[in-house]
Amino acid sequence: MIIEIFINIMVGLLGLGIVVFVHEAGHFLAAKSFGITVQTFSIGWGKKIFSFQKGETEYCISLFPVGGYCQLKGEDILKEAIEKNSDHLEAEEGTLFAVAPWKRIIIFFSGPFMNLLFSIVVLSVIWFNGFSYSSPDNRIILVSDYNNSKQLYPADIAGLKSGDKIIEIDNKVVRNYQDMREIIALNPQKEMKIKVIRGERTVELKIEPSLNKTTGAGIIGVYPWMDPVILKVVPESPADLAGLLPGDQIIEASGNPVKNHMDFFSRIETKPEKIDIKYIRNKTTYSASLALTYNEKGQTNPGFIFNIYEYSTPNYSPLGALVKGVKESFSTLFITIKGLKTLFKGVDINQAVAGPIRITYMVGEFATTAFGESFRAGVISFFQFLCLISIALFFMNLLPIPAIDGGQIVFSFCEIIFRRNFRPKAIYRYQIIGFIFIFLLLFFTLFNDILFFINK
């Protein structure tokens, strides 16, 4: 587990390093274009562990690898003005405060903008090349069918039944379980029309996903339906030792019929030492026993994966891929804004808000899991997650919070509107408020991250 966490964090650091580099490169290029000297370009914060000088700029990698900064000449003028009790900034040529406020707005905006541009370009390339992904189909199983409690889920209230095939939600076509899950997750507490195929007929219903207060996502209380046909057998696992092979269809477990994967897994909830099964291979029925072992959490792995389906993206032209990249980037932006709103709807902030350490781990975990399928899948998943982080950085950095890009933009706009430069002390107090807010947020998220890893 420790080695796995270490690998995930190292891969995550690489990913966040790319995103931070793109962000700071935006500030760097904009500042250079307006003749401002960039004194330091750093990936990470704290003590410098590697650096070199080129021209007027020192390029470095710092000890704390989450984040980074571009130190522009003139940022220390503020400190000097306060020490001298001056009522104005004496900015020399080539410094940040020597340029017009509108130029400073462009400089502060360029970092977030580069994150948005990065997402558009990367997603366009991914969609142009195309990719495949795995998912169960669009049939569902009701959680309540395998839950001993009497709790009713939105799927029960709507009248859905196990085996229903969901083909449309709010006029959006549903091809598979992943399509359904994305639509449901993004629309908690919103009534939607749903169209299903049940047997030989089509049924139209209404459903209102409930809010998962841990994740902030919408849920309706269903599992994906997976036929109990074995796709892959893990070597040296209970299934392998019992002689099971890919293509075998399990039809019975512990004397009970098996129609889907939940029928099978519900038979091992009591943690039996072995489970007797019947399966079909080449139209012949066989019997076998799986000897099961359990970890410290009471979990077991029979050693096989049930069959899921492979889907491929459409073929896009370069222009079509660019349009798709733009649409997906802005869709992610709207999802990010929507996700922020759910924090005020009773979501468990301790679970829903991740800090820099957990984000780093999640980037790495997402990528390494996909690399387990194939190198191509790993690369695509890695950069898709980076695009998600980039869009989040674009949005978060433009919030009007002092000390970050959005706050600096607001302050520069105020200079234009009021047609005067603010006193150094006013600027300093404004920034101090931002630094306190960021410090408290960082402390809160780091505390959450520590608890997250302790639980793991």
Side-chain angles (χ1 to χ4, degrees), residues 3 23 32 39 105 117 164 187 205 343 375 382 422 430:
I3 294 175
H23 180 93
K32 284 285 190 180
Q39 295 176 320
I105 290 173
L117 186 62
D164 283 350
N187 292 281
L205 305 167
L343 296 179
F375 180 79
F382 178 68
F422 292 95
Y430 178 78

Side-chain angles (χ1 to χ4, degrees), residues 17 37 186 209 223 243 319 334 383 391 394 401 445 447:
T37 300
L186 297 176
Y223 299 121
L319 180 59
F334 295 142
F383 279 99
I391 293 298
F394 169 79
I401 299 171
T445 55
F447 180 75

Side-chain angles (χ1 to χ4, degrees), residues 380-400:
I380 290 174
S381 296
F382 178 68
F383 279 99
Q384 283 178 324
F385 206 107
L386 292 192
C387 290
L388 176 65
I389 299 297
S390 286
I391 293 298
L393 279 177
F394 169 79
F395 173 70
M396 297 302 292
N397 271 279
L398 290 180
L399 292 176

